[in-house]
Amino acid sequence: MQIDTVNPATGKVIASYEAESSEDVGRKVRLGREAYAEWKKVDLGERAELMRRLGRVMRKNREDYARTVTEEMGKPVRQSLAEIEKCAWVCDYYAEHAEVFLRDQIVPTEFRKSFVSFEPLGVIASIMPWNFPFWQVMRFAVPALTAGNVGILKHSSVCLGSSLKIEQAFHDAGFPENVFQIVIGDYRVGEALVQADIDAVSVTGSLNTGRRVAELASAGMKKFVLELGGSDPFVVLEDADLNQTAHMATQSRLLNTGQSCIAAKRFIVVRSVAEKFTKLFVENTEAEVVGDPLDPKTTVGPLVRDSQRQALAKQVEDARAKGGKVLIGGNPVKRDGFFYEPTIVSNVGHEMDLVREEVFGPAAPIIVVENEEQAVREANNSEFGLGASIWTNNIERGIKIARQIESGLVSVNEMVRSDPRLPFGGVKKSGIGRELSEFGIREFVNIKSVVVKDIQSRLLVE
């Protein structure tokens, strides 16, 4: 089967690839198993040095990698460059900190010695989406491989060129053969990979993808980590700095053309400042530049596929039909490619898809509430729980509210971002498990307890 990748800014095919078979998947898993037998023996210091080299490869080739990302999925090129730099950062971070994260932990007991060790699991599969083609792979692969595992990536059909460049980057950094591999194909190849002789799987993707992977992995008693998206609340309280908040609302909603799991998606505003915030939000959004994503001046590119644009248009039209007021945008852009106008909708309610569903595109619903208590209830009124942000000039108030929000990450006076230093993941239907930080590197290890009793004490008794 042939898989075509399409430039979403033009709608034209840019490359074609031949999908691999389930037999190919099985062969690569066997190669990974053989590579693991040696890789797990490599000293952690050597693995860390290879990660440093990988970071250097990322920085050396950032222009090339960024162009590939932009051409395959439409991200504005400045944001693509920032994505590659973040990949280098995660390499550096684990190279520096892995020894501490994986060091034996001594536990005082009545025995001669008791400790906890962190040992690799084996062959880890990853199924990754298209919206951050390099970053989402690297935030899985870097900690997993540093811990002594090997990885096999099944990437989205949208960004197969990116997957090939990632595989080549590991090779260029000097990693042993088959420590990191890719397989090419659609969902059937992904299912074959999960059902093959792997030890665990990491998934970033849709709720339906996560459910299917969890079903298949559970049947084989294989561990899984799932990051499945969100509908992040952006809570604006009456004491917020509205100029700063409106600017950050625009950035948080339109980053990657709104195609981010941790983009702000529900704007919950206290009534006393709703009118002023809305005016500023519209003004900031009007200033964004929609255009060719390879132009450095562009801030909003195309959606990844026409089907994605149609899904967004359906959500906006549903809101309009049910009484929502479109303040700006609300239509496809009349040009080649899969562009949609940045859109803000007021007078919305929970009967609308724009509020109930995850919105993966440049459209923002504004929900007006009466007070802080109602804002918290509204923020938690979602099946998702990935990220949230709170905007207030009272830091202690922001922290108090952050503790009440049902999500894996809460930012006060900052947009939600993933960070190698902090655990990343969600609650409710946003996922299971964590990536990044010391918690992420320990997801794919055997946390082993070792207890040692002094044999001499037994001999003396005898």
Side-chain angles (χ1 to χ4, degrees):
M1 182 183 76
Q2 180 175 291
I3 299 174
D4 295 332
T5 56
V6 175
N7 185 332
T10 64
K12 296 180 179 178
V13 174
I14 53 177
S16 298
Y17 304 87
E18 193 65 33
E20 294 179 273
S21 66
S22 58
E23 289 76 17
D24 294 324
V25 172
R27 177 179 57 80
K28 290 191 173 182
V29 170
R30 289 191 296 274
L31 290 172
R33 182 71 60 195
E34 293 170 4
Y36 170 65
E38 298 304 318
W39 178 244
K40 67 180 179 180
K41 300 174 187 176
V42 174
D43 181 76
L44 179 55
E46 292 183 42
R47 297 201 296 263
E49 179 54 35
L50 285 168
M51 285 301 164
R52 290 189 185 92
R53 292 184 196 171
L54 182 60
R56 292 195 289 269
V57 170
M58 287 286 144
R59 291 188 174 99
K60 177 183 177 182
N61 296 295
R62 65 191 296 263
E63 301 281 345
D64 176 48
Y65 295 163
R67 186 178 184 90
T68 299
V69 169
T70 295
E71 289 179 340
E72 288 191 320
M73 56 76 54
K75 181 176 298 182
V77 70
R78 286 190 301 175
Q79 296 175 25
S80 297
L81 287 165
E83 178 177 341
I84 305 306
E85 180 58 37
K86 196 169 185 178
C87 292
W89 179 21
V90 79
C91 294
D92 295 344
Y93 178 77
Y94 280 105
E96 181 178 354
H97 296 285
E99 191 277 330
V100 173
F101 294 159
L102 298 174
R103 181 184 298 161
D104 289 350
Q105 292 188 0
I106 305 299
V107 180
T109 66
E110 70 274 22
F111 299 106
R112 170 73 175 269
K113 187 175 185 180
S114 302
F115 63 93
V116 178
S117 67
F118 304 96
E119 302 173 4
L121 288 181
V123 181
I124 316 298
S126 63
I127 296 176
M128 294 292 151
W130 46 264
N131 53 335
F132 290 85
F134 273 71
W135 169 241
Q136 284 162 324
V137 173
M138 297 295 281
R139 77 183 189 202
F140 147 75
V142 171
L145 269 62
T146 304
N149 300 292
V150 302
I152 302 179
L153 166 68
K154 187 275 170 193
H155 218 325
S156 165
S157 297
V158 167
C159 49
L160 297 177
S162 293
S163 71
L164 287 165
K165 287 183 183 292
I166 293 170
E167 185 180 48
Q168 184 64 41
F170 278 93
H171 175 78
D172 292 346
F175 281 78
E177 191 174 6
N178 301 322
V179 165
F180 182 87
Q181 302 175 81
I182 66 168
V183 293
I184 292 175
D186 59 12
Y187 74 93
R188 288 166 290 196
V189 168
E191 291 191 353
L193 179 59
V194 176
Q195 292 174 297
D197 181 28
I198 63 166
D199 298 287
V201 58
S202 176
V203 176
T204 299
S206 70
L207 181 56
N208 287 337
T209 296
R211 282 175 171 148
R212 181 58 175 159
V213 169
E215 176 187 356
L216 294 174
S218 297
M221 294 301 292
K222 299 164 185 175
K223 183 172 183 178
F224 52 84
V225 169
L226 309 176
E227 194 269 276
L228 305 178
S231 186
D232 288 10
F234 186 103
V235 178
V236 183
L237 300 177
E238 72 280 356
D239 62 348
D241 179 331
L242 294 183
N243 287 312
Q244 177 202 28
T245 301
H247 170 72
M248 295 307 294
T250 303
Q251 301 308 305
S252 186
R253 177 66 286 221
L254 297 181
L255 179 70
N256 202 18
T257 315
Q259 300 171 117
S260 169
C261 300
I262 52 174
K265 298 193 175 95
R266 293 176 294 136
F267 294 81
I268 301 167
V269 188
V270 171
R271 186 176 298 279
S272 61
V273 295
E275 183 177 353
K276 184 175 181 181
F277 169 79
T278 299
K279 178 176 181 292
L280 292 168
F281 191 13
V282 168
E283 289 174 356
N284 276 271
T285 301
E286 286 175 332
E288 294 295 304
V289 179
V290 179
D292 178 2
L294 285 172
D295 185 339
K297 295 189 291 293
T298 293
T299 58
V300 180
L303 292 166
V304 68
R305 297 187 184 97
D306 192 42
S307 59
Q308 191 77 27
R309 180 171 62 171
Q310 291 174 23
L312 178 64
K314 183 179 178 183
Q315 289 172 318
V316 173
E317 290 309 309
D318 173 79
R320 202 189 318 247
K322 293 174 180 174
K325 183 179 179 182
V326 177
L327 304 178
I328 181 176
N331 297 290
V333 178
K334 294 180 179 178
R335 58 176 293 164
D336 290 342
F338 312 136
F339 294 83
Y340 193 89
E341 296 172 342
T343 300
I344 298 175
V345 184
S346 64
N347 195 37
V348 299
H350 283 278
E351 72 280 5
M352 300 177 185
D353 295 343
L354 201 63
V355 175
R356 289 187 301 103
E357 300 175 349
E358 181 175 24
V359 179
F360 231 59
I366 297 178
I367 304 165
V368 178
V369 296
E370 300 301 327
N371 51 43
E372 173 187 313
E373 182 181 2
Q374 190 177 349
V376 171
R377 282 202 308 271
E378 192 65 44
N380 290 334
N381 188 13
S382 172
E383 65 180 354
F384 296 105
L386 187 56
S389 60
I390 301 160
W391 300 82
T392 172
N393 278 333
N394 186 328
I395 300 302
E396 293 306 314
R397 183 188 190 191
I399 293 172
K400 183 192 77 171
I401 295 172
R403 295 185 185 279
Q404 300 174 56
I405 301 295
E406 299 165 352
S407 69
L409 195 163
V410 183
S411 296
V412 179
N413 297 330
E414 175 60 285
M415 63 187 287
V416 177
R417 310 172 193 265
S418 57
D419 183 319
R421 300 166 294 186
L422 295 168
F424 181 80
V427 297
K428 299 194 277 193
K429 292 182 179 177
S430 283
I432 296 171
R434 291 294 181 267
E435 297 177 292
L436 302 176
S437 80
E438 63 184 291
F439 298 95
I441 200 171
R442 291 176 184 163
E443 284 284 4
F444 294 121
V445 298
N446 175 17
I447 302 175
K448 180 188 290 185
S449 298
V450 179
V451 176
V452 181
K453 186 174 182 179
D454 193 338
I455 192 170
Q456 293 302 320
S457 62
R458 182 175 63 83
L459 291 175
L460 287 172
V461 171
E462 292 176 348

